[in-house]
Amino acid sequence: MYIHSFGRFVGHPVEDIKYYKQDVSQYTQLHFRRANRFVLLSLAGACRCVHGRGIGKDTGVYLTTENGNLGDTEAVLDQIFHQHQFPMPYNFINTMSNTASFYVAQSLELFGRNLTLSSKQFSFERGLELLRSDQLCGAVKEALIGGVDEAYFSGQQFATKFERNADTIDMVEGSCWLLIKDREEGALGRVAAIETFANMSQVLSWMKARAFQGPVQAGFGLLMSAPEKQAIIVALPHSSPFDYISDYGYYDSATACGVTAFLERYQGNCLVHVNKDFLGQFVVLVIEQR
Amino acid sequence: MKGSLDDLLKRRIKTLIVENCDLDIQIEDIDDEAPLFESASMLELDSIDALQISIAIQNTFGIAIRDSKQMRRVMKSINSFADYIQPE
């Protein structure tokens, strides 16, 4: 899987939805009247990824997200259970999981495979795995894959989920995308490995047995503990920590942000990203950049 | 007073439509007699917008539009809308 371009839209949520509409209007003439925050967020990242380059009409769209249309889902539940009203149709339609990836395909005039995937803390990694399988069996030659999530509503919501103080984390929303092809020519880099492990000792054994190209940047998911990070740094020769969450803030599919930030900063380096879920499983993602 | 003669009510309905359907249009530009849903309409509304408006009307005025025939009749124009909400 060769990475040909990337796009990143990460920041603090802006209340006025017009901010996102204006941003997206830089890239497309379409008017997204009924689009909500999540849809526009998806578009902002995807459009940046392909801006100025021609992409094939059969390009697939793999939108990965941990929470999907969080804001509209909350609005619909509030309308039904608190206000005892019918849900507003726009809100209801936008809770459908595939709405955002439909809008991405529509705005970029893409007719390829169109998927929205969610797999808790590993959503982006599982999306890449699926894309790899689809490429291997010839179902998809090129695809846009993005990690999109809205910011947490509050520090309390974050603290409840992660059992840690929200004050230490900058909570942002994000939409980070890669254009991936099966062709090496013209690529910025490649996805060299995606591996899942049941425990930390398996991760370390795998790393010790593998050679990594060039200087290694070690990136980590939010659930990785300090001792686990240190063990990885020790296991990887010539590695340095790449703390993209401190640099850009946290949103739930932040792995995608880490990959795009690495591609922007570290030419000729290798990214080893280790993510962990609440079950204690690990996924290692290796990106090699030219 | 019939709704179609009540400028304040018609302004409320126009504001409700513009806000709920996220239209990029000034309410002064909406003609009271112009069709809201036909292809020639400047608002370019469709069936999903009709549902959105009907629920907004129900939430705001407490008036339910129960079936599609009634909806077509009521939502013909701003004047017909106003007369439905305020018949006398």
Side-chain angles (χ1 to χ4, degrees), chain B residues 7-65:
Chain B
D7 287 339
L8 197 62
L9 175 63
K10 287 192 284 188
R11 195 175 172 81
R12 279 184 76 191
I13 295 168
K14 288 176 187 176
T15 303
L16 179 142
I17 292 172
V18 167
E19 285 181 356
N20 277 277
C21 296
D22 196 13
L23 297 171
D24 194 13
I25 189 172
Q26 299 297 314
I27 59 169
E28 291 78 15
D29 295 336
I30 304 175
D31 190 288
D32 293 349
E33 265 305 316
L36 297 176
F37 288 92
E38 289 175 11
S39 55
S41 166
M42 67 181 294
L43 302 183
E44 296 178 335
L45 300 175
D46 61 21
S47 57
I48 296 171
D49 297 310
L51 269 178
Q52 180 88 356
I53 294 166
S54 73
I55 293 176
I57 289 284
Q58 187 170 343
N59 293 343
T60 308
F61 296 98
I63 295 170
I65 302 171

Side-chain angles (χ1 to χ4, degrees), chain A residues 5-11 37-49 60-69 100-101 104 115-128 131 143-151 172-180 244 248-261 273 275 285:
Chain A
S5 71
F6 62 90
R8 184 175 61 250
F9 182 86
V10 176
R37 175 182 299 273
F38 185 75
V39 169
L40 293 165
L41 196 56
S42 304
L43 284 163
C47 289
R48 278 171 168 76
C49 183
V61 178
Y62 291 64
L63 194 160
T64 73
T65 176
E66 187 171 330
N67 305 306
N69 283 282
S101 49
V104 169
L115 300 166
T116 300
L117 298 130
S118 185
S119 185
K120 296 188 177 173
Q121 287 73 47
F122 297 145
S123 296
F124 186 69
E125 289 90 338
R126 295 293 183 236
L128 279 170
L131 175 54
L144 277 167
I145 179 164
V148 185
D149 269 296
E150 295 175 42
V172 296
E173 58 188 6
S175 171
C176 298
W177 291 74
L178 306 175
L179 175 62
I180 290 187
Y244 62 91
Y248 293 93
Y250 178 77
Y251 70 100
D252 271 339
S253 41
T255 303
C257 175
V259 173
T260 59
H273 185 277
N275 203 359
L285 173 64

